[in-house]
Amino acid sequence: MAGPLSHIRVLELSRVLAGPWSAQTLADLGADVIKVERPGAGDDTRAWGPPWAGDQSAYFLSTNRGKRSITIDFERPEGQELVRRLAAQADVVIENFKVGGLVKYGLDYDSLKAVNPRLVYCSITGFGQTGPYRNRAGYDFMIQGMGGLMSITGQPDGEPGAGPVKVGVAVTDIFTGLYATIGIMGALAHRDRTGEGQQVDLALLDVQVAVLANQAMNCLVGGKAPQRLGNAHPNIVPYQAFATRDGHIILAVGNDGQFAKFCTVAGRPDLARDERYATNPARVANRKELVAVLEELIRTRDSHDWLGALEQVGVPCGPINDLTAVFADPQVQARNIHQDLPHPTQGSVPTVASPIRYSGTPLVHDTAPPTLGQHTDTVLAEALGLGEADITALREKGVI
């Protein structure tokens, strides 16, 4: 059965992560995504290895599943015309050039709106289409710093290893890609009712601030900037990693009942009756004293002992897996998150499947990330009606 967006065509003029992540998500949902790349080089991430699967980097493979790749040099007038003709047939354009960067090619929103008023045009930049920073380049790492995420990530001052730390994945880019997808689908729903397209303006900095969630509200409501707490939670105690006799576990106590159950398993039911620890607000107020007691308790037993005993009574807990252990986990395997896709040059390549599960239109992953320009001839012939001689002439000129 076709995916829920199988009636949608997306023209992707983006590269690296945020834009391609949005386009890949739309492809997972069934959209026909045509990725326009530079002849001879393609998306920057094609060269971001090792590791490699043949001549394709793992980075590129992570964010370009389900797409068709065509190569067009739109610095040339002929290339610009090809892209405009494709945009005239598209439902969505995704681009992540600097503000105004596509105007000189006639591929900006106003130019393409003139040929396709129904077009949903998503622009992804570091700082958005307005504001004093609009012309600056923006990258995930610097936005994690500017947007406050690094100020709350890492060990507290005065502890070993103290200092701001970035998240181990480019989460600002990924969140921006997901918000872009949501914004695009909202604009498509509006178009279905009115027939009107529009521009969707996504900024990495906006997204980073938005996803600070409770920490942002802690600052706005409390009037004080939250500080780094390592693996601890600012609003819940105990909710952090603890060392065991042979490793580490995560203890994620979410309410007073769970804390009482933990205390029973730990052989210290008196802690749950102590007025300093009986409620979550009291535990937050007395965090330092309680955590010191729990550290001593938890390091007396092995990880599997704690995990088994706590799971039996419904106290949230878990191991800290490396990625090899993640993909070996029986739950991850049961959900079929790791899938191998047929590939035209490598035989097959691995992918991490979309987490979206539909009951009526299940997602199907059957198209590996494309080789550079793999679908140029097919797309130009099918979408634009170009004949073999036309395509050959464009290739001889270096346009494609």
Side-chain angles (χ1 to χ4, degrees), residues 243-245 266 294-302 305-306:
T244 64
R245 188 160 55 192
L294 300 186
E295 286 175 337
E296 290 300 318
L297 282 172
I298 292 173
R299 69 165 53 101
T300 63
R301 295 164 62 177
D302 291 346
D305 291 339
W306 280 116

Side-chain angles (χ1 to χ4, degrees), residues 21 38 61 95 170 174-175 195 209 215 246 299 303 330 380 389:
W21 196 267
R38 294 171 296 168
L61 293 174
E95 62 90 7
I174 291 174
F175 277 128
V209 176
Q215 291 282 46
D246 63 346
R299 69 165 53 101
S303 296
L380 294 182

Side-chain angles (χ1 to χ4, degrees), residues 5-12 26 31-34 85-94 109 116-122 184-185 187-188 191-192 196-198 200:
L5 295 184
S6 60
H7 61 299
I8 297 297
R9 172 170 287 175
V10 178
L11 190 64
E12 184 196 332
L26 295 169
D32 175 20
V33 177
I34 299 171
R85 290 177 63 187
L86 289 169
Q89 300 181 16
D91 300 284
V92 177
V93 166
I94 300 174
Y109 174 58
N116 183 358
R118 292 174 53 83
L119 185 66
V120 172
Y121 187 102
C122 182
I184 287 166
M185 294 202 294
L188 289 172
R191 189 191 70 172
D192 288 345
E196 298 175 353
Q198 62 183 298
V200 183

Side-chain angles (χ1 to χ4, degrees), residues 136-217:
R136 292 188 188 181
Y139 295 90
D140 180 277
F141 188 9
M142 60 180 279
I143 299 297
Q144 286 195 35
M146 291 182 69
L149 183 60
M150 290 176 63
S151 77
I152 56 173
T153 306
Q155 292 300 113
D157 289 336
E159 294 192 7
V165 177
K166 73 177 180 68
V167 179
V169 173
V171 290
T172 309
D173 274 337
I174 291 174
F175 277 128
T176 302
L178 293 175
Y179 271 109
T181 303
I182 295 167
I184 287 166
M185 294 202 294
L188 289 172
H190 172 78
R191 189 191 70 172
D192 288 345
R193 294 195 309 274
T194 66
E196 298 175 353
Q198 62 183 298
Q199 185 175 21
V200 183
D201 174 9
L202 262 295
L204 269 67
L205 183 60
D206 295 354
V207 169
Q208 179 56 80
V209 176
V211 300
L212 291 174
N214 62 298
Q215 291 282 46
M217 294 306 295

Side-chain angles (χ1 to χ4, degrees), residues 357-385:
R357 301 289 187 269
Y358 286 121
S359 63
T361 54
L363 305 189
V364 176
H365 301 309
D366 56 8
T367 305
T371 57
L372 181 60
Q374 179 180 342
H375 305 97
T376 301
D377 292 15
T378 301
V379 169
L380 294 182
E382 290 180 357
L384 303 184

Side-chain angles (χ1 to χ4, degrees), residues 18-30:
W21 196 267
S22 177
Q24 177 173 262
T25 303
L26 295 169
D28 288 341
L29 296 174

